[in-house]
Amino acid sequence: MITNDVGIVSLKHLILEEMARMAWAGTLTSEDKEALVYKIIPGPLAQYRCCIYKEREIVRQRIRLAEGLSASADPARQSDLVIQVLSPACEECPISSYTVTDNCRLCVGKACLNSCQFGAISIGHHRSHIDPAKCKECGKCAAACPYSAIAHLERPCKKACPTGAITYDEYGICKIDEEKCVQCGHCVHACPFGAIAAKSFLVGLIEEIKAGKEVIAMCAPATEGQFGPDISMASIRAAVKELGFADMVEVGLGGDMTAAYESKEWAEALAEGRKMTTSCCPAFIGMLRKHFPEQFKENMSNVVSPMCAISRYLKATHPGCVTVFIGPCMAKKSEALDKSVPGNADYVMTYGEFRALLRSKDVELKPVDDPYQEASIFGKRFATSGGVANAVIECMKERGVDPGDIKLRKCAGGTECMQALTLLKFGKLPEDFIEGMACPGGCVGGPSKHKTETEIIKAREGLLKNADARNVLDNLANYPMSSFSMYRDGHMDD
């Protein structure tokens, strides 16, 4: 896991592991959970915060998140978002985003005072002072200061948010605007205090396995390389079976499915002179739906994501099964919870949650001598920027359709996606298609990646060299594509 604070991540994963162990053992009573709080924070000295009482309250809120609940037990502070704020942990960031540093010389000209139109600046004994209650964060004082003594201190969570969904209440506690948040999760690991976290659904998943249901894992294409050069998809498959899953399917196969159907849409759009966007990244789709609703209706692909495609395939071939996605993406949790697109994954686990689940049953990932492969190399490369578009173009070629001089805009990262969609909205986009991925580098750079992007790519390339060179459409001929819909609206091809 890559984050600003290893201690925060360790605490989070410890809580998830302990909750999973308790779920397996059937000991999740209120008394058991409160005992866990004291086991993790025994006292008398605080480990992370100012006091053990605050630390224990944070652990209680993380326990609630581990059960898939809102962090706060207070109904007035609860949210339906997957991404949640732990208010007791959000306390150390400055309320004002502009602050006067020691560089202030108390100059006679008082450029800062004269530039402020809101009466927020006063002159102290040693430096100027900015009243956060009056400051409108216009930045004019910082621009006017001849000594550059006024610094712009943008909070890490706000800086990481690509959609402007983060604000603060009168006490400086982070607030997430549900109308703007696309649940990309970038704020979670940007916060150095661990004050933003995501709901987990491990407890419910364990109950499904214990109930004897046919639970099938679906492993994201980004997985290859996350756990080192020796841990293949076959290694993951062996581990999940040891955990009690019935089987595993690689979601790169879903990439093949999505590419095959999006290639039909692209060919039609090219003929009509219509621009389109891809449909794989749930955070990107959230940007469209919430911030560019007209473009969501007019330009977004109607094809489901690879995760949804594999879930529908499994539900068609294994009636009654429970599908579980494993990947680096927090936004996939919100996609799974979106009931407007039926047949999607029942549960989503990040890599950190998957590791906690493995530890809870003392299962280790090991190299496996097994050539398991269900996806083409094009489906496997869905996880990197440009991979979706390359797979779609490959399918067009396999169908004998000349893609011609397709103009493609590859967006990797929230800022790039917002810029491209803004150009699309105002009719200024020069390209024909937008491949939108909210994470830098694509899914391999997701907020829950297990290693650095450089380490992942190096290990990943070694693993992908072992894949055969099957074509996308030839590969799909081995699967019952006519038994389920590949479209968001549920219609079937004629």
Side-chain angles (χ1 to χ4, degrees):
M1 184 67 62
I2 311 307
T3 181
N4 285 329
D5 192 327
V6 175
I8 292 170
V9 175
S10 298
L11 175 64
K12 176 180 72 174
H13 289 177
L14 173 61
I15 294 169
L16 286 171
E17 178 185 341
E18 291 294 333
M19 287 292 288
R21 288 184 184 276
M22 291 164 67
W24 289 119
T27 56
L28 275 175
T29 65
S30 299
E31 293 78 10
D32 292 323
K33 286 182 282 188
E34 188 64 12
L36 176 59
V37 173
Y38 283 82
K39 176 182 176 181
I40 293 174
I41 308 295
L45 299 179
Q47 302 175 48
Y48 308 98
R49 309 280 172 170
C50 60
C51 65
I52 59 172
Y53 309 107
K54 181 167 288 188
E55 290 182 342
R56 286 170 180 165
E57 179 56 26
I58 292 169
V59 171
R60 290 187 185 98
Q61 293 200 4
R62 285 197 173 275
I63 286 174
R64 287 181 57 83
L65 289 177
E67 296 181 281
L69 304 173
S70 289
S72 175
D74 180 1
R77 301 185 68 90
Q78 292 181 357
S79 166
D80 291 330
L81 289 177
V82 168
I83 307 300
Q84 298 270 311
V85 176
L86 284 68
S87 56
C90 183
E91 59 172 6
E92 300 296 339
C93 289
I95 295 176
S96 176
S97 67
Y98 284 90
T99 187
V100 182
T101 70
D102 288 339
N103 285 343
C104 180
R105 300 273 68 96
L106 285 177
C107 57
V108 176
K110 305 293 186 288
C112 58
L113 179 67
N114 295 328
S115 69
C116 183
Q117 301 175 5
F118 309 104
I121 295 180
S122 58
I123 306 301
H125 291 296
H126 303 290
R127 69 178 77 171
S128 297
H129 174 72
I130 300 175
D131 184 346
K134 295 180 180 178
C135 178
K136 304 301 181 184
E137 302 185 9
C138 66
K140 289 184 178 181
C141 59
C145 178
Y147 291 101
S148 300
I150 300 177
H152 184 202
L153 303 178
E154 188 173 14
R155 286 191 179 187
C157 56
K158 188 172 185 178
K159 187 176 182 179
C161 179
T163 60
I166 291 182
T167 56
Y168 312 103
D169 65 16
E170 64 271 29
Y171 304 106
I173 303 297
C174 176
K175 293 173 60 179
I176 300 177
D177 187 336
E178 295 190 28
E179 298 302 315
K180 294 181 179 179
C181 178
V182 296
Q183 308 197 70
C184 62
H186 291 170
C187 58
V188 173
H189 293 303
C191 177
F193 293 98
I196 307 178
K199 292 180 181 178
S200 174
F201 303 96
L202 285 187
V203 171
L205 168 60
I206 290 169
E207 294 302 327
E208 301 274 25
I209 295 173
K210 288 172 60 180
K213 294 185 180 179
E214 186 180 19
V215 181
I216 305 177
M218 308 181 297
C219 213
T223 303
E224 287 173 299
Q226 293 283 343
F227 303 103
D230 299 322
I231 303 301
S232 63
M233 284 293 190
S235 301
I236 304 292
R237 192 182 191 196
V240 298
K241 286 184 175 181
E242 196 173 345
L243 283 170
F245 287 73
D247 204 351
M248 187 211 85
V249 176
E250 61 171 323
V251 178
L253 171 62
D256 286 344
M257 295 174 177
T258 297
Y261 283 77
E262 277 200 353
S263 67
K264 297 178 183 179
E265 290 184 323
W266 281 34
E268 293 173 1
L270 274 176
E272 298 170 3
R274 178 167 49 88
K275 299 181 187 294
M276 282 193 62
T277 71
T278 55
S279 64
C280 300
C281 173
F284 178 71
I285 293 173
M287 288 181 189
L288 275 164
R289 181 187 287 117
K290 293 186 175 184
H291 297 270
F292 303 90
E294 290 303 315
Q295 286 62 50
F296 175 77
K297 295 177 183 177
E298 297 173 8
N299 304 105
M300 200 195 81
S301 168
N302 187 36
V303 178
V304 297
S305 72
M307 177 180 83
C308 184
I310 291 297
S311 182
R312 287 183 176 182
Y313 154 64
L314 289 172
K315 289 176 184 292
T317 55
H318 298 261
C321 74
V322 176
T323 56
V324 184
F325 179 82
I326 303 172
C329 182
M330 292 184 186
K332 283 293 184 187
K333 295 183 180 184
S334 62
E335 181 186 346
L337 292 171
D338 181 6
K339 301 308 177 186
S340 67
V341 182
N344 217 326
D346 297 302
Y347 294 91
V348 169
M349 272 195 295
T350 64
Y351 292 135
E353 292 166 343
F354 177 51
R355 295 279 296 198
L357 187 63
L358 290 170
R359 291 193 301 273
S360 74
K361 291 206 78 175
D362 302 315
V363 175
E364 295 183 7
L365 292 173
K366 302 173 184 177
V368 174
D369 185 16
D370 181 349
Y372 169 76
Q373 178 181 344
E374 291 196 69
S376 74
I377 191 65
F378 295 96
K380 287 175 175 290
R381 290 195 181 278
F382 253 55
T384 52
S385 179
V388 177
N390 290 339
V392 171
I393 292 171
E394 167 65 17
C395 290
M396 293 173 75
K397 291 177 180 178
E398 290 181 18
R399 284 200 175 90
V401 176
D402 182 6
D405 185 21
I406 285 182
K407 295 179 180 178
L408 174 68
R409 192 180 188 100
K410 302 174 185 177
C411 302
T415 300
E416 289 186 9
C417 290
M418 290 293 287
Q419 289 172 346
L421 293 175
T422 300
L423 289 172
L424 178 63
K425 177 179 179 178
F426 292 103
K428 302 292 185 181
L429 184 75
E431 293 84 8
D432 302 309
F433 301 102
I434 298 175
E435 181 196 89
M437 292 187 172
C439 295
C443 298
V444 293
S448 292
K449 58 182 178 290
H450 188 61
K451 295 181 180 293
T452 66
E453 199 171 324
T454 300
E455 290 175 306
I456 294 167
I457 291 173
K458 183 178 179 180
R460 180 178 173 77
E461 287 306 311
L463 289 165
L464 293 185
K465 285 180 182 177
N466 298 323
D468 61 42
R470 68 185 71 179
N471 290 337
V472 176
L473 300 184
D474 289 344
N475 189 39
L476 294 184
N478 300 312
Y479 296 90
M481 299 304 298
S482 62
S483 64
F484 59 96
S485 171
M486 279 295 298
Y487 298 102
R488 294 175 61 84
D489 60 14
H491 82 267
M492 303 288 289
D493 279 340
D494 297 330

